[in-house]
Amino acid sequence: MKEGFSAGAVSNVQLLAAKDKLSSSFFKRGIIIGLLSGICYGFYSSFLTLGMSTGIWSQWYGPNTVLPALAVTYMLAALGSAVNDTISAVWAVIIAATKGKLGDFFRTVKTKPGAMIALAALAGGPIAGTAYVACLQLAGSIVIPITALCPAIAAILSRILYKQKLTPRTILGILICFAASFMIASTGFGGGAPKGLVLGMIVAFVAALGWGIEGCVAGYATCMVDYEIGITIRQITSGLTNLIVLVPLFGIIAGGGLGLSFDLIPAAVADGHAMMWFVISGFFAVYSFNLWYKGNSMCGTALGMACNATYSFFTPLCSWVILGLIFGQEGWAIPPIAWVAAVVMSLGIFIMAVNPLDFFKGKGGAEA
Amino acid sequence: MKPLNYAILKYFTTVEEACADDVIEALKGQYGNFKGLRKPAVIEAVMTAEANGLLEETRYDLDKNKELRVYYHAHKEGADTINSYIK
């Protein structure tokens, strides 16, 4: 790469300054977008949980529920994801239409990168989304930091699938993340842990695996597909798959047959009070994933995912503020060790994704 | 007609090098009414492609309005990737 000079132009110093400013602002914008996705994730999670504890949902989850235990844990989780993602898909279509991208959306769906995003959506949507809702239901937001392992998983998958380098720094970050997971697990050894903590942790890891796959595969596709189009593909794929495949499947597994999903889906949609929260959670879900894709495409997948993983702070924080303080629900207080673990995990993710020395000099770059 | 982002990337496989202004000029006939063909959006799309290894910066200078102009090209690996995904 070489610098050029226009006739009678400016000094080399000014030219370099302009170029540095462009590169620096692009990099910072990518990081800010990635961090915003983490914040949106916190709001999305909190409003989703609020929706799933309101109206008919409180009856389904309540002590006098008429539903089988399997349906309560997994079918309702899938239903929550289905309702959220379907509403989120509607939001995504509205946003794409408003920005004049609907034509490109239909043109992209039929292409190879579009198909890659749809496949990644299956891993990150129905599988990870349901696991995420289930782990929240089982153990509360204490297990959320485990789902923040997805950047580490994505780094390993990138190594396997795309032959990307795993540097010693990346491996160190992964080890720190797993150490943080163990710290969270240690809360299960005492008497005050949530009843479903261990199972919740396992299910949370499934969510991390799904998002790791999605981040790895979709991150690669997003450098070609417009991020708002990509997210529209994702949410439509995820919402419809949850609604048409996963919810009925869990209904059959739970012993209620197909009829159970035909009972629950209309009942969930008809509950206006709960749906109000789903409309809000769906909106935040669009921006959480939309900005995640955008951040990944601008910073590189590893750094983008690391920035997004700040949801390990924002989810418990938003849950505590919105569900605990504002709506008076109990059980959203976070044990101190979980906060410490979240900090340690975020540090591990950060070290894994970017050289701290370069980052603080403002020259950082993603290194998957 | 290809999606705009695809058309931008494909364009780089047909020229030795290009800047955002060249992209806009080349695609304005078909995509002139797209918001994504505005200069800041094109610059971001091109820089994103560079960040993901599809394009490579070749040089930069100032245009007659004293605005920074960065040129990129699709190196062999980048062009092969673009062509394998975008037909």
Side-chain angles (χ1 to χ4, degrees), chain A residues 108-135:
Chain A
T108 303
V109 167
K110 298 174 285 188
T111 65
K112 192 175 172 181
M116 280 172 69
I117 289 176
L119 286 172
L122 293 176
I127 296 168
T130 302
Y132 178 70
V133 175
C135 79

Side-chain angles (χ1 to χ4, degrees), chain A residues 32 77 103 107 130 140 165 175 183 225 254 336:
Chain A
I32 289 165
R107 284 184 281 269
T130 302
K165 278 194 300 184
L175 290 173
M183 286 167 66
V225 176

Side-chain angles (χ1 to χ4, degrees), chain A residues 43 47 50 277 318-329:
Chain A
F43 282 107
F47 284 111
L50 190 58
W277 301 123
C318 290
S319 298
W320 176 57
V321 171
I322 294 168
L323 302 171
L325 298 183
I326 297 173
F327 286 91
Q329 292 185 6

Side-chain angles (χ1 to χ4, degrees), chain B residues 43-80:
Chain B
I43 289 171
E44 195 161 277
V46 171
M47 288 182 82
T48 300
E50 186 209 11
N52 287 277
L54 298 180
L55 302 178
E56 195 173 47
E57 194 180 298
T58 53
R59 65 187 174 97
Y60 52 93
D61 62 11
L62 296 171
D63 64 15
K64 60 177 185 285
N65 299 319
K66 301 274 195 301
E67 278 187 31
L68 182 68
R69 194 166 50 178
V70 185
Y71 287 82
Y72 300 86
H73 83 129
H75 47 77
K76 190 186 180 308
E77 195 184 340
D80 288 347

Side-chain angles (χ1 to χ4, degrees), chain A residues 121-321:
Chain A
L122 293 176
I127 296 168
T130 302
Y132 178 70
V133 175
C135 79
L136 277 178
Q137 296 299 329
L138 285 162
S141 60
I142 192 170
V143 294
I144 296 301
I146 291 175
T147 64
L149 281 169
C150 61
I153 292 166
I156 294 166
L157 289 173
S158 295
R159 168 71 182 157
I160 296 164
L161 295 175
Y162 303 120
K163 306 289 182 287
Q164 290 181 12
K165 278 194 300 184
L166 265 180
T167 63
R169 183 159 48 79
T170 306
I171 293 165
L172 173 66
I174 290 168
L175 290 173
I176 291 170
C177 288
F178 278 107
S181 295
F182 185 79
M183 286 167 66
I184 299 164
S186 72
T187 60
F189 307 150
K195 207 167 63 175
L197 180 66
V198 176
L199 183 58
M201 285 170 58
I202 293 165
V203 176
F205 187 78
V206 172
L209 191 63
W211 285 322
I213 291 167
E214 181 182 15
C216 181
V217 176
Y220 191 75
T222 303
C223 65
M224 290 172 258
V225 176
D226 180 283
Y227 74 106
E228 284 176 325
I229 291 166
I231 225 64
T232 308
I233 293 170
R234 183 206 189 272
Q235 300 300 60
I236 288 173
T237 305
S238 178
L240 292 181
T241 309
N242 271 314
L243 211 55
I244 296 164
V245 179
L246 217 56
V247 173
L249 183 68
F250 279 131
I252 293 165
I253 291 169
L258 272 177
L260 188 57
S261 47
F262 290 128
D263 289 339
L264 296 193
I265 293 170
V269 174
D271 190 321
H273 190 190
M275 282 298 282
M276 179 180 71
W277 301 123
F278 280 108
V279 168
I280 298 171
S281 74
F283 178 79
F284 279 111
V286 169
Y287 280 96
S288 172
F289 289 99
N290 162 322
L291 297 175
W292 177 35
Y293 277 27
K294 178 76 170 167
N296 282 5
S297 68
M298 288 176 76
C299 304
T301 301
L303 181 54
M305 290 190 76
C307 292
N308 171 263
T310 53
Y311 69 73
S312 62
F313 290 115
F314 294 119
T315 300
L317 183 66
C318 290
S319 298
W320 176 57
V321 171

Side-chain angles (χ1 to χ4, degrees), chain A residues 44-45 47-49 51-53 57 60-61 71-88 125-126 129-134 137 238-239 242-243 246-247 250 264-265 268-269 274-275 277-279 281-282 285:
Chain A
Y44 142 61
S45 303
F47 284 111
L48 176 62
T49 306
M52 291 177 71
S53 60
W57 295 84
W60 289 336
Y61 278 116
V72 169
T73 303
Y74 297 104
M75 189 182 177
L76 291 185
L79 182 59
S81 280
V83 174
N84 176 80
D85 286 4
T86 305
I87 290 170
S88 187
T130 302
Y132 178 70
V133 175
Q137 296 299 329
S238 178
N242 271 314
L243 211 55
L246 217 56
V247 173
F250 279 131
L264 296 193
I265 293 170
V269 174
M275 282 298 282
W277 301 123
F278 280 108
V279 168
S281 74

